[in-house]
Amino acid sequence: MGITFEEYDVIVVGAGHAGCEAALAAARMGAKTAVFTINMDSIANMPCNPNIGGTAKGHLVREIDALGGEMGRCADKTLIQSRTLNTTKGPAVYSLRAQIDRRSYQREMKHTLELQENLHLRQEEITDLLTENNKIVGVKTHLGIIYPCKAVILTTGTFLKGRIIIGDVSYSSGPDGLFPADRLSESLKGLGIELLRFKTGTPARINRRSIDFSVMTEQPGDNPIVPFSFEHETIDREQVSCYLTYTTEKTHKIIRENLHRSPMYSGTIEGIGPRYCPSFEDKVVRFADKERHQVFVEPMGLDTEEVYLQGFSTSMPVDVQIEMVRSLPGLENAQIMRYAYAIEYDCINPLILKPSLEFKKIDGLVSAGQINGSSGYEEAAAQGLIAGINAVLKLHNKEPLILDRSQAYIGVLIDDLVTKGTKEPYRMMTSRAEYRLHLRQDNADARLTPIGYKLGLISEERYQKFLKKQQAIEKEIERIRKKNITPSIEVNNFLERCGSAKIKSGVKLSDLLKRPEITYESLREIDPDRPELPASVTEEVAISIKYEGYILKQMQQIEQFKKMEKSLIPEDIDYNKISGLRLEARQKLSEQRPVSLGQASRISGVSPADISVLVIYLNAITRRSNENDE
Amino acid sequence: MKNRMDSIAAISTAVGNSGISVIRISGPDSFVVAEGIFKGKGSFSSFKSHTILYGKKIDPDNGSVIDEVLITKMAAPKTYTREDVVEINCHGGYVTASKILELLYRQGIRPAEAGEFTKRAFMNGRIDLAQAEAVMDLISSRTEKSSKIALSQLEGKLSVEVNRLRQGLVDILAEIEVNLDYPEYDFEEITAEKCSVRLEDIKEDLKILIESFSFGKILREGMEVAIIGKPNAGKSSLLNRLSRKNRAIVTDIPGTTRDILEEYVNIHGLPIKLIDTAGLRQTDDRVEKIGVEKALEVIDSSDLIHLILDAKSGFEKEDKDILEKVGQYSDKTLFVVNKTDATDPEKINEIRNKIPEFLEISVLEDSGINALECEIYKFVNKSRMDTDNLVLVTNARHKMLLEEALEGIDAAKSAIDKGMTLDIISMDIKSAADKLGEITGHMVSEEVILNIFQRFCVGK
């Protein structure tokens, strides 16, 4: 068999964004953990866009941080530009996004892993999962070494049978020129796991010195910088800009003339690519009327001249790529350092997972990130964190952590994957969240930090700080609700200046704050005894009062939703014995085995009538067992 | 899943032209709501359980009497569902029953789903699983059967129309959402005004659908035929003859019928609601005056009007006044000349000069009644043909969901007017779309995302 080495509680396969969070969470919760990577210098790599956050993704980062994950802290330390998107579109969709110094991020994350107690880093490729009676007992590496373990977390990203396609050239490869993991797929298939083939892609990287920025629109960062992590109050740092340019008629002509050379259209690529991240040739074909498309030029870091062309992903042959890039204003003399490519990789159908991210059929096997059909660093990290937590909870025979759709974007993400499945790489969007007004980035700590604290991922010090912040928020809300404002000349002058109706009789300060044209900040003028509070507190105070009615409405919807989520379905239920179920529902339910009535109701092919039948059946079982107890 | 502790209500007698309808309410709020809408000797709460009481159903909003009813009070647990149950026996016909039902919904009672009383009976341990399953099987098989009958055509059309409106909302949502999820891209930003205009269009169509509910009942419940005419033309006699009952008091004193009388009759297998009205004339009698006003309302709301003329008295000034009043309803008016037994050709000619076409009947001699019934039958079928191209809402649950969707649109419009942000506006539009989705069985959020990717060029 080979040599048997050190035994672990948890082994993490891959050290990307999912793997790092999984390994850190497991180790921090006290499990003896090892994280394996094909290349020690590619830990926490960003092989695509050099940024973290954005709509819904920024929310995920805040949630990861609130639970005690690492991504937010690491991003804060290494960001080189920060912006809050959607500032005019409402608090539910305010979204932080930062440009990251890619190499610094990797260094920072690697060092954090190295410093972590209970965590070993190993540069070896995992080739086999070892099981006994469908239970994980260890892994085997390409060096023939066996590491016994109790749980394995698969975070293989795009490495599994990775294949890069550039025009008519294609070769076996991981992302960013790294080695692929070619052998693990066979081992997974041997365990009866069906594999799918997904595709993604990345645009070219250009040497900044060959670009004329004077014809582009500069996009500077925001001041002050708003940190991702709730641990950081402020970040004082010089920022760098991004630039915006547009494709031209010439660019589109190049695409049209060379379409037959695109592997997407000639059939070389079999993998299913994401709709939200189409290659540029896709954009030109599908949106033929659009005269120009945006291309954002983003820095890859401070100590490099490489820049990234957001919006310009392609799998065209290199000669076409050069022509395409050079048709962009400002990029006429562009020197391409890395060509754009498409990459295909093996992944699983996430329907075979429990909401805890454990495989339904293999005990001790957990997976997170792109292998589960998702896309994006933040989506990966969020799942990695939950996978790490649940691997350890399972070792301790504890209930897994399952966040529901009303608690966190993380809950929406995982529920979507394991309940509805995905036919393309899944990206988080705010429109996927039903309870968006509650799942804001400003209150992620209120939603999740108590959970992180109970798990041991949030320190006592941080938890006390969190409690103080919550108290400060409540106190200030209370004060504003109680404070009377009289119709003085001063007040009415102020209102007039804000373009707001004057008051004739006394009102509460909170009534004024509810007016759309009035902000918490502007009210300072007529609210002299206001206490000095940090921005993180005042933001939540202002939102809580301003949107009170809507938040209340949302909380009522959540209450209804929770009832269904709390109705658990016993694991050993036999759907074939429930005569009222329609055949399709019986099959889908037997296959997917939902944990709750709520999850069952979201499975496609299960109708409300089927759910009623299920309710009746479940009540009968409960009643019978109650009677037996009596 | 709906809260198991809420209260539900439904008509529990078969739909159709039965003499009495029973409405059943079950759940913790049954008694409180019954108390509010019941007016009898003494308060509802003072009555003993399992007794039947006589009283009137009133609308608590305005105190108006809906119907005389018998009400049965049954306290938990000795009831069908083991919850507090109230049963209301009201006068026959779907119309009164559904009026009471709508009143209950307004008081916070929820429409019962198919088989829900049985489900509750089971959940509360009154019947066992096998029994409950048998009932559920019956319900699902009945649904399957009924989906094959004529109504399915109408319901199919309804889903097409509801889907169209929902699609309109989904389109707006996608335009909002793409701006929220892809803030950096250069799409045309949807403006609040544009959004408002499009919402208004959908709202108007939604209103038409909701209004069709009352018309939709014609197909299920038959139609309302108003019998009008000057005093003592023989309206009540005709009602009695058609219903083969002696419900209306008939005398030869003009103005005997002062209130509205309703009777369900079966004409060639079709349910028809006959409404006998007070004779239309100028009167100083206060009570009679109210009757006349009501008659005018009935003329407006009924599906078919029988204008009764008197062959004995010929065409008088009162007839002329009435003719003027129904002028605008000419396409639903059938002229009937009664008392042809006492033929005075001149009087008939007098009428013929004013009204070229009419049916001649004599209630006294029982002649022409068959022909009249045939005319009614033909008219019903004609209006059925007309409705082939109409979308009708026939189900109270659908109507309620449409009304809730309308509320969502109104909320969105008011949020726009108040200058709220897009995330808030989107919340209300989504809730409206979700309500419509409950009728057609669609998930909105996934469609919005699909729509975004189809219509907008986004991605890195």
Side-chain angles (χ1 to χ4, degrees), chain B residues 203-219:
Chain B
K203 184 182 161 178
E204 285 310 309
D205 290 348
L206 211 48
K207 270 186 174 161
I208 292 172
L209 265 190
I210 293 169
E211 280 159 15
S212 82
F213 180 66
S214 47
F215 195 48
K217 279 189 317 224
I218 293 178
L219 293 192

Side-chain angles (χ1 to χ4, degrees), chain B residues 314-363:
Chain B
F315 197 84
E316 296 180 316
K317 178 169 181 303
E318 280 172 323
D319 293 310
K320 190 173 161 260
D321 291 346
I322 295 168
L323 208 55
E324 272 168 21
K325 287 198 175 84
V326 301
Q328 55 176 311
Y329 306 108
S330 61
D331 54 344
K332 64 170 187 181
T333 307
L334 187 66
F335 298 97
V336 180
V337 175
N338 189 21
K339 303 186 191 173
T340 50
D341 44 294
T343 315
D344 178 345
E346 244 179 60
K347 295 281 180 192
I348 292 219
N349 278 338
E350 201 180 298
I351 295 172
R352 192 162 282 130
N353 284 338
K354 305 285 175 186
I355 301 161
E357 258 182 78
F358 51 80
L359 270 175
E360 293 181 32
I361 64 162
S362 164
V363 178

Side-chain angles (χ1 to χ4, degrees), chain B residues 38 40 43-44 47-48 51-55 69-73:
Chain B
F38 179 76
S43 73
F44 181 80
F47 292 113
K48 265 194 260 169
T51 54
I52 295 174
L53 329 160
Y54 165 81
V69 295
L70 287 175
I71 192 161
T72 313
K73 177 178 178 179

Side-chain angles (χ1 to χ4, degrees), chain A residues 241-444:
Chain A
S241 290
C242 296
Y243 291 86
L244 169 63
T245 185
Y246 293 91
T247 61
T248 59
E249 179 44 37
K250 193 176 162 198
T251 326
H252 298 200
K253 193 166 162 248
I254 295 166
I255 296 290
R256 283 193 297 269
E257 281 168 2
N258 289 286
L259 212 51
H260 61 284
R261 298 184 62 198
S262 157
M264 292 299 293
Y265 290 89
S266 64
T268 318
I269 292 182
E270 308 156 8
I272 305 157
R275 286 169 299 175
Y276 51 81
C277 185
S279 63
F280 186 69
E281 45 271 32
D282 259 351
K283 292 185 186 180
V284 172
V285 171
R286 286 183 46 214
F287 301 95
D289 316 341
K290 207 163 153 64
E291 282 167 23
R292 59 177 200 174
H293 297 264
Q294 291 157 305
V295 176
F296 297 92
V297 181
E298 303 179 2
M300 302 272 286
L302 293 180
D303 57 358
T304 175
E305 298 308 309
E306 255 185 296
V307 296
Y308 171 91
L309 293 186
Q310 200 217 115
F312 216 53
S313 149
T314 179
S315 52
M316 281 288 191
V318 292
D319 56 309
V320 183
Q321 285 194 28
I322 296 169
E323 264 193 89
M324 282 165 64
V325 169
R326 293 192 173 164
S327 72
L328 301 174
L331 285 144
E332 293 83 357
N333 301 307
Q335 186 216 330
I336 297 181
M337 294 172 68
R338 310 186 203 208
Y339 288 106
Y341 62 80
I343 183 166
E344 278 187 352
Y345 53 97
D346 285 349
C347 59
I348 61 161
N349 177 349
L351 293 179
I352 63 174
L353 300 176
K354 299 181 194 173
S356 59
L357 295 178
E358 291 170 276
F359 281 65
K360 287 170 184 166
K361 290 188 176 150
I362 299 164
D363 201 48
L365 187 59
V366 190
S367 65
Q370 275 165 307
I371 187 171
N372 289 350
S374 70
S375 141
Y377 312 143
E378 304 81 357
E379 287 86 341
Q383 292 171 64
L385 176 61
I386 299 296
I389 290 169
N390 283 335
V392 178
L393 288 175
K394 169 125 190 190
L395 293 182
H396 298 157
N397 286 319
K398 285 190 185 154
E399 286 296 309
L401 172 66
I402 297 169
L403 298 173
D404 72 40
R405 302 181 73 88
S406 70
Q407 279 177 295
Y409 272 87
I410 299 177
V412 176
L413 164 70
I414 295 176
D415 183 63
D416 275 349
L417 288 172
V418 306
T419 307
K420 297 176 190 159
T422 181
K423 292 191 167 63
E424 63 182 337
Y426 176 102
R427 178 211 203 266
M428 198 66 233
M429 296 165 74
T430 68
S431 34
R432 296 192 196 270
E434 293 86 347
Y435 312 110
R436 192 159 65 182
L437 192 56
H438 177 56
L439 305 186
R440 304 187 310 270
Q441 59 173 25
D442 62 275
N443 68 357

